């Protein structure tokens, strides 16, 4: 009963947030999707972290540690570089651009007849295809959580429950694979009821209150998720015998060689042939991915901030919460579960091993936590799920309302300018479409790792062009069209001929990155550059960092201004990244030491990380960092309008 009361209190808070923000959200798309640009930096950072704290991610971490050890988590941690680049370089550019979506940026950044088709293609590709695949991954985790905690066959009367089972049997739907031994039809019926209720709850406040309601709930959701995760980690480690003898117990269960692999933050000594492929993967995936410049909900949070400094702080708060804090909690749980639920080498070779280890994260909650704490962790997982679903609904709807309907359908098909409330209605209706598509994809997914690998592959061709469009003026709309087109052709071919085997992933990612980037840059040089008028306006509005010599000259600005500005920001990125990763490794090694490891390296890492904090924090907060010439607010010339007014 206590667990249910905690869940009910959370549900009521979420619904209340949507109702409170409803009136403002209904005024315009800026209010609905950007909260009127009133989100403070720390709140935006918490919202980013809440969205990334998806219900599927702790399950993914649990599976990675069991199958490949702590070192495999660098696949997640390496994204810290992309997050810091967004904080120091791209967040301010997104905010100044004055757009609502990445797709809309095409009409501000490029010129030519292909701008509208590119905007429409990106809106559909990002807002529907990619967005729904990610949502489906989250829903796969949701059904595993729901099966354990929501036994509807025990709770509902037969008159209500049996028709659902009959519908499942008639349609042949199978939502996931049972981890509790339920019959397939009963399992799918339970999962369908759970998913529909969870999505109905999330959609009610997200559709009603827009980004303002999403951010308000995200702050509470992330706090609850972290408190619940900390409590879970405490009980898991306590049940495993405490931190002091954790390493010895893993050695007893798996042997010193396997234990060293599981607990190593560096490449294991026996990595040999597997090391180079892994280094290639983590070297590529943080840059060659579709969110490398913050594209999507991270950019949306940056654009919703009132000042450049707020946008920068949002990225920093997000990065430290995401990479350091939550990683330490999840590592404790994943390592403790290795002791409490041991496995043999033969089991590792069996089918479904990865999915089974992922599901242990949920099973441990049910078996290890007492009432109250279990309810708190359940709310934490529900909050993690809701914070991801609400963001993807809101983000996906922004493409359909702002780019598809307002950018193409209304002006080119209906031949009129849409009203603000009309656009908000389209946004709310498009949420339903996105949910339906995501559920169809979810019904056909296996393990979360497999879905994650496929999504990385599709995004690997876009990252370099998305970054270069902010740093290099020569990138044009044909560059983006080429990268997207080649990705859509190359990814299915690679999956068909090379499969989804994790051992071949480095080859797939390498080929995708090389082919798409080479094709995009080649096309850049043989197609017309963006016209001077567009470059001049974009430079005046955004003052981008990097190689913008011609655009700077058009605005009577020295060509070295943007280059020097980029250099200072990359220095800040490097200092912050070293501080972040050394603290992560140092603290992690002290808490979870590998067999026969020395604590000296751990303390050195911690000392370096702490010593660098005043340096990067001073750069992030310094007024001088905000009043450089390239940071000055842009004054539009006579007759010029912001993109939101156009």
């Amino acid at each position: 009963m206590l667990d249910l009361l905690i869940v009910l209190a959370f549900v009521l808070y979420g619904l209340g947030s949507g109702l409170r923000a409803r009136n403002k959200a209904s005024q315009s798309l800026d209010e609905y999707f950007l909260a009127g640009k009133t989100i403070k930096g720390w709140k935006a950072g918490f919202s980013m972290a809440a969205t990334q704290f998806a219900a599927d991610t702790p399950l993914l971490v649990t599976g990675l540690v069991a199958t490949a050890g702590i070192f495999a988590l660098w696949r997640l941690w390496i994204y810290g570089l992309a997050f810091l680049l967004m904080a120091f370089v791209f967040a301010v550019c997104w905010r100044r651009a004055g757009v609502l979506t990445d797709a809309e940026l095409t009409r501000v950044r490029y010129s030519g007849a292909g701008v509208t088709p590119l905007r429409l293609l990106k809106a559909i590709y990002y807002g529907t295809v990619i967005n729904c695949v990610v949502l489906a991954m989250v829903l796969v985790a949701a059904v595993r959580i729901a099966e354990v905690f929501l036994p509807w066959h025990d709770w509902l009367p037969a008159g209500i429950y049996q028709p659902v089972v009959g519908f499942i049997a008639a349609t042949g739907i199978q939502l996931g694979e049972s981890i509790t031994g339920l019959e397939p039809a009963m399992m799918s019926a339970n999962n369908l009821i759970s998913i529909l209720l969870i999505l109905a709850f999330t959609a009610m406040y997200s559709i009603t209150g827009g980004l303002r309601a999403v951010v308000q709930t995200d702050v509470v959701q992330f706090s609850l998720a972290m408190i619940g995760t900390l409590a879970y980690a405490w009980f898991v480690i306590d049940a495993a015998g405490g931190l002091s003898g954790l390493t010895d117990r893993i050695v007893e269960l798996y042997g010193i060689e396997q234990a060293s692999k599981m607990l190593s933050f560096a490449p294991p000594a026996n990595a040999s042939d597997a090391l180079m492929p892994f280094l290639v993967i983590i070297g590529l995936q943080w840059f060659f991915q579709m969110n490398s410049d913050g594209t999507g909900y991270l950019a949306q949070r940056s654009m919703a901030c009132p000042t450049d400094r707020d946008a920068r702080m949002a990225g920093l708060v997000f990065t430290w919460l995401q990479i350091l804090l939550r990683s330490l909690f999840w590592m404790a749980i994943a390592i403790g579960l290795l002791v409490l639920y041991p496995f043999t080498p033969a089991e590792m070779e069996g089918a479904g091993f990865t999915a089974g280890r992922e599901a242990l994260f949920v099973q441990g909650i049910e078996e290890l936590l007492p009432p109250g704490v279990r309810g708190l962790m359940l709310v934490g997982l529900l909050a993690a799920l809701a914070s991801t679903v609400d963001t993807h609904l809101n983000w996906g709807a922004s493409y359909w309302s702002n780019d598809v309907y307002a950018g193409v359908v209304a002006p080119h098909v209906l031949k009129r300018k849409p009203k603000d409330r009309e656009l908000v209605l389209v946004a709310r209706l498009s949420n339903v479409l996105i949910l339906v598509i995501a559920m169809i994809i979810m019904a056909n997914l296996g393990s979360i790792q497999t879905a994650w690998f496929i999504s990385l592959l599709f995004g690997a061709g876009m990252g370099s062009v998305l970054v270069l469009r902010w740093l290099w003026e020569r990138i044009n709309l044909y560059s983006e069209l080429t990268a997207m087109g080649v990705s859509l052709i190359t990814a299915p071919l690679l999956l068909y001929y090379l499969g989804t085997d994790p051992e071949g992933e480095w080859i797939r990612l390498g080929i995708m990155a090389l082919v798409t980037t080479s094709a995009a840059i080649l096309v850049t040089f043989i197609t017309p550059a963006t016209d001077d008028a567009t470059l001049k306006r974009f430079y005046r509005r955004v003052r981008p960092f990097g190689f913008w010599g011609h655009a700077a000259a058009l605005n009577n600005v020295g060509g070295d201004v943007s280059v020097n500005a980029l250099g200072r920001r990359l220095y800040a990125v490097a200092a912050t990244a070293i501080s972040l990763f050394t603290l992560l490794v140092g603290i992690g090694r002290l808490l979870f030491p590998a067999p026969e490891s020395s604590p000296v390296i751990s303390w050195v890492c911690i000392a370096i990380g702490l010593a660098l904090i005043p340096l990067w924090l001073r750069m992030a907060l310094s007024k001088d960092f905000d009043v450089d010439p390239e940071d000055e607010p842009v004054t539009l010339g006579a007759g010029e309008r912001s993109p939101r007014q156009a």
Side-chain angles (χ1 to χ4, degrees):
M1 180 59 68
L2 179 60
D3 294 343
L4 292 178
L5 289 176
I6 294 174
V7 173
L8 180 61
F10 167 72
V11 170
L12 292 176
Y13 173 81
L15 296 177
S17 297
L19 292 174
R20 287 193 299 272
R22 178 186 172 202
N23 290 335
K24 287 186 177 180
S26 299
Q27 294 174 5
S28 67
L29 288 188
D30 276 331
E31 286 290 343
Y32 190 82
F33 290 118
L34 297 182
K37 298 185 178 180
T38 60
I39 305 299
K40 293 297 183 182
W42 71 270
K43 283 189 176 181
F46 265 74
S47 182
M48 293 176 184
T51 300
Q52 286 274 321
F53 197 139
D56 61 309
T57 319
L59 279 68
L60 175 65
V61 168
T62 304
L64 284 174
V65 171
T67 56
I70 290 177
F71 182 61
L73 297 183
W74 281 104
R75 294 204 54 174
L76 301 176
W77 298 336
I78 200 66
Y79 286 112
L81 293 177
F83 301 153
L84 291 175
L85 274 175
M86 183 199 68
F88 284 104
V89 179
F90 302 123
V92 64
C93 295
W94 280 112
R95 206 192 74 80
R96 293 175 186 173
V99 297
L100 195 146
T101 66
D102 167 76
E104 187 184 0
L105 182 68
T106 58
R107 64 186 294 269
V108 179
R109 173 65 176 84
Y110 305 126
S111 62
V115 167
T116 298
L118 176 60
R119 180 181 182 183
L120 180 62
L121 179 61
K122 293 189 71 171
I124 295 174
Y125 183 61
Y126 283 112
T128 305
V129 178
I130 299 300
N131 191 40
C132 289
V133 169
V134 176
L135 258 181
M137 290 169 57
V138 176
L139 295 180
V140 169
V143 297
R144 292 178 184 166
I145 297 169
E147 184 180 348
V148 174
F149 293 107
L150 303 174
W152 296 109
H153 59 286
D154 292 332
W155 294 351
L156 294 178
I160 297 176
Y161 185 74
Q162 287 304 320
V164 180
V165 175
F167 171 77
I168 292 293
T171 57
I173 295 174
Q174 182 172 344
L175 299 179
E177 297 179 0
S178 179
I179 59 176
T180 61
L182 288 177
E183 298 176 3
M186 187 178 293
M187 173 210 64
S188 295
N190 284 2
N191 289 341
L192 179 62
I193 296 171
S194 300
I195 288 297
L196 290 178
L197 289 176
I198 291 170
L199 292 180
F201 154 66
T202 307
M204 283 181 68
Y205 73 78
S206 173
I207 293 173
T208 303
L211 185 66
R212 188 176 276 103
V214 169
V215 172
Q216 287 174 355
T217 54
D218 278 352
V219 172
V220 174
Q221 287 167 349
F222 182 77
S223 301
L224 285 173
M226 293 306 294
I227 293 171
T229 304
L230 177 60
Y232 186 16
W234 177 278
F235 278 94
V236 167
I237 294 299
D238 182 64
L243 279 175
S244 59
L246 194 61
T247 299
D248 293 337
R249 288 186 286 279
I250 292 178
V251 170
E252 291 173 6
L253 289 169
Y254 300 100
I256 190 168
E257 182 177 343
Q258 182 67 10
S260 297
K261 176 183 177 181
M262 289 176 167
L263 298 177
S264 176
F265 285 77
N270 61 353
S272 60
D273 295 339
L275 178 59
M276 182 55 67
F278 187 83
L279 294 178
V280 169
I281 290 173
I282 64 172
L284 290 175
Q285 73 176 32
W286 73 272
F287 184 78
F288 291 93
Q289 46 111 4
M290 65 191 68
N291 305 113
S292 54
D293 67 337
T295 290
Y297 52 83
L298 301 182
Q300 184 188 40
R301 300 314 192 267
S302 302
M303 293 185 284
C305 290
T307 67
D308 291 351
R309 187 180 301 183
D310 278 302
R312 183 166 60 251
M313 294 310 299
L316 285 172
V317 169
F318 161 57
T319 304
W320 282 86
L321 291 175
Q322 169 84 350
I323 303 299
L324 181 65
L325 187 63
R326 75 167 195 171
S327 293
L328 292 174
F329 291 172
W330 284 348
M331 270 194 289
I333 295 170
I335 294 170
L337 292 177
L338 292 176
V339 174
L340 298 176
Y341 301 93
F343 56 88
T344 64
E347 290 174 328
M348 289 187 69
E349 302 299 327
F353 174 76
T354 299
R357 295 305 300 190
E358 291 172 351
L360 276 180
F361 185 90
V362 180
Q363 186 178 338
I365 296 173
E366 173 68 13
E367 297 180 358
L368 301 174
L369 299 184
V373 178
R374 184 170 57 238
L376 182 62
M377 188 59 202
L378 179 57
V379 168
L381 288 176
L382 178 60
L385 170 65
S387 63
T388 304
V389 171
D390 63 27
T391 289
H392 281 276
L393 289 177
N394 187 271
W395 172 46
S398 68
Y399 287 108
W400 277 97
S401 56
N402 183 64
D403 300 302
V404 177
Y405 190 79
V408 178
V409 175
H412 298 289
V413 179
L414 302 179
K415 305 295 183 182
R416 63 179 177 82
K417 183 177 180 180
K419 298 178 180 179
D420 285 335
R421 291 187 179 274
E422 176 186 353
L423 291 173
V424 174
L425 176 61
V426 172
R428 286 171 170 158
L429 291 176
S430 61
N431 280 279
V432 179
L433 173 65
I434 292 169
L435 282 177
V436 171
I437 297 173
M439 288 191 66
I440 293 172
I441 297 174
M442 181 266 292
N444 294 281
L445 284 183
S447 80
I448 298 169
Q449 278 194 37
T450 301
W452 184 50
F453 293 158
I454 294 174
S455 67
L456 284 177
L457 181 63
F458 271 91
M462 294 297 299
S464 58
V465 175
L466 297 183
V467 168
L468 288 173
R469 66 182 174 180
W470 295 106
L471 305 181
W472 184 28
E473 62 188 2
R474 188 62 180 83
I475 291 293
N476 57 33
L477 69 91
Y478 303 104
S479 309
E480 283 207 44
L481 280 170
T482 301
M484 187 178 299
V486 173
S487 296
L488 291 174
I489 294 172
T490 307
L493 291 175
L494 291 175
L495 291 172
Y496 179 78
Y497 287 106
L498 300 180
T500 59
D501 185 357
E503 293 182 359
E505 186 186 11
W506 71 287
I507 300 176
R508 296 192 297 270
L509 282 177
I511 293 174
M512 175 66 92
L514 178 63
V515 170
T516 53
T517 303
S518 300
I521 292 179
L522 176 62
V523 168
T524 298
F525 283 111
I526 62 176
T527 52
T530 302
D531 64 43
D532 285 358
T534 302
L535 282 178
K536 182 179 180 179
R537 285 194 301 270
F538 183 77
Y539 188 87
R540 283 173 60 82
R541 180 175 290 116
V542 177
R543 289 297 178 98
F545 315 119
F547 304 96
W548 293 82
H550 180 60
L554 293 173
N555 286 276
N556 298 316
V557 177
D560 60 340
V561 170
S562 296
V563 175
N564 293 338
L566 177 62
R568 287 193 294 273
R569 283 154 180 79
L570 291 180
Y571 174 69
V573 169
T576 313
I578 294 172
S579 177
L580 173 66
F581 291 133
T582 52
L583 282 174
L584 175 63
V585 172
I587 297 172
R589 281 172 53 94
L590 281 181
L591 293 176
F592 318 111
E596 302 177 352
S597 63
S598 169
V600 175
I601 296 177
S602 303
W603 287 112
V604 170
C605 287
I606 292 175
I608 293 173
L610 292 175
L612 287 173
I613 289 178
L615 174 63
W616 62 259
L617 193 58
R618 184 169 59 250
M619 288 188 288
L621 297 176
S622 172
K623 292 182 178 179
D624 294 337
F625 207 66
D626 285 322
V627 298
D628 286 343
E630 68 278 356
D631 277 341
E632 292 178 356
V634 175
T635 302
L636 298 178
E640 292 184 7
R641 294 184 297 171
S642 75
R644 301 298 316 139
Q645 295 171 320

